[in-house]
Amino acid sequence: MSRGAPLPDDAQRAPVRTSHASLAVEASAGTGKTYLLVTRALWILLVKKVQPEEMVALAFGEEAATELKQRLRQKLQEIEATKSKDDLDPEIAAMLPAETLDAITMRATEALTTLDHAHLSTIHAFASSLIRLYPAQTRMDPAFEVIEDLGFDELIRDEWSRFVSEELGDYATRKAEWTS
């Protein structure tokens, strides 16, 4: 997951990697969303010391959610196997400049042992799990089935665009909550 030259928008990406706020990332294919989200997840796990089961990262499609899980696991395994702090990805080393390699690899190992408990999934899979956990509060039958028809992806894209526009657009009333 190493990167070459800095991206033109690196200055905008840097705060996203280490922000204390919840965030949403929307960008075209091939722009580095997964890299950014994996780096943020590593910051949350290694620097903030959040347990994997307390972390939520959602993707629209199953392919994207699977890729996110795989890359995060791969990066944690790389960190765990690192023999020298000089061999760490520079971005990871920069996150933890005062930490010993032993401390970093120990956190990576701990994160790997419970990574399967992290909420790294599609939006509908996460929502389904919440509804099944809290059927009375959601007033839903816990035995419901998710039905995906041909228009589902289009509906999600349209609703997501509407949500982003309402929350971050020119006339958004809560824009400061997302951008602080």
Side-chain angles (χ1 to χ4, degrees):
M1 184 160 63
S2 297
R3 295 183 3 198
L7 296 170
D9 63 347
D10 260 358
Q12 291 147 335
R13 290 170 181 252
V16 172
R17 293 184 195 110
T18 58
S19 171
H20 293 276
S22 295
L23 62 95
V25 175
E26 181 181 33
S28 302
T31 57
K33 290 182 303 293
T34 304
Y35 177 86
L36 182 67
L37 291 173
V38 168
T39 303
R40 179 169 171 80
L42 290 168
W43 181 78
I44 289 169
L45 294 168
L46 302 175
V47 177
K48 299 304 293 174
K49 301 177 186 175
V50 170
Q51 296 300 310
E53 60 271 14
E54 298 170 337
M55 184 173 65
V56 176
L58 305 176
F60 278 124
E62 191 60 47
E63 188 176 315
T66 299
E67 183 179 4
L68 177 61
K69 283 185 227 177
Q70 289 172 340
R71 284 199 199 177
L72 181 55
R73 181 174 304 283
Q74 176 187 15
K75 195 64 181 172
L76 286 167
Q77 289 169 338
E78 287 174 17
I79 294 167
E80 183 183 45
T82 300
K83 302 295 182 209
S84 164
K85 197 164 178 183
D86 293 336
D87 295 335
L88 282 173
D89 179 312
E91 196 151 14
I92 304 304
M95 286 181 199
L96 300 154
E99 296 286 339
T100 65
L101 180 62
D102 286 343
I104 296 169
T105 57
M106 184 175 72
R107 278 196 220 126
T109 300
E110 289 169 358
L112 277 167
T113 61
T114 58
L115 189 60
D116 289 335
H117 299 290
H119 303 283
L120 307 172
S121 65
T122 61
I123 293 168
H124 58 276
F126 182 68
S128 296
S129 69
L130 288 177
I131 291 168
R132 284 187 174 80
L133 282 171
Y134 303 103
Q137 292 86 341
T138 60
R139 297 187 180 123
M140 295 282 296
D141 179 353
F144 76 94
E145 291 183 36
V146 176
I147 300 171
E148 295 185 44
D149 61 19
L150 296 176
F152 181 76
D153 288 339
E154 184 177 335
L155 173 67
I156 290 293
R157 274 192 297 278
D158 291 347
E159 287 301 310
W160 179 250
S161 294
R162 181 193 58 75
F163 172 79
V164 169
S165 178
E166 287 177 6
E167 295 292 319
L168 297 172
D170 292 335
Y171 303 104
T173 58
R174 298 177 350 133
K175 191 172 187 174
E177 293 177 41
W178 288 96
T179 57
S180 60

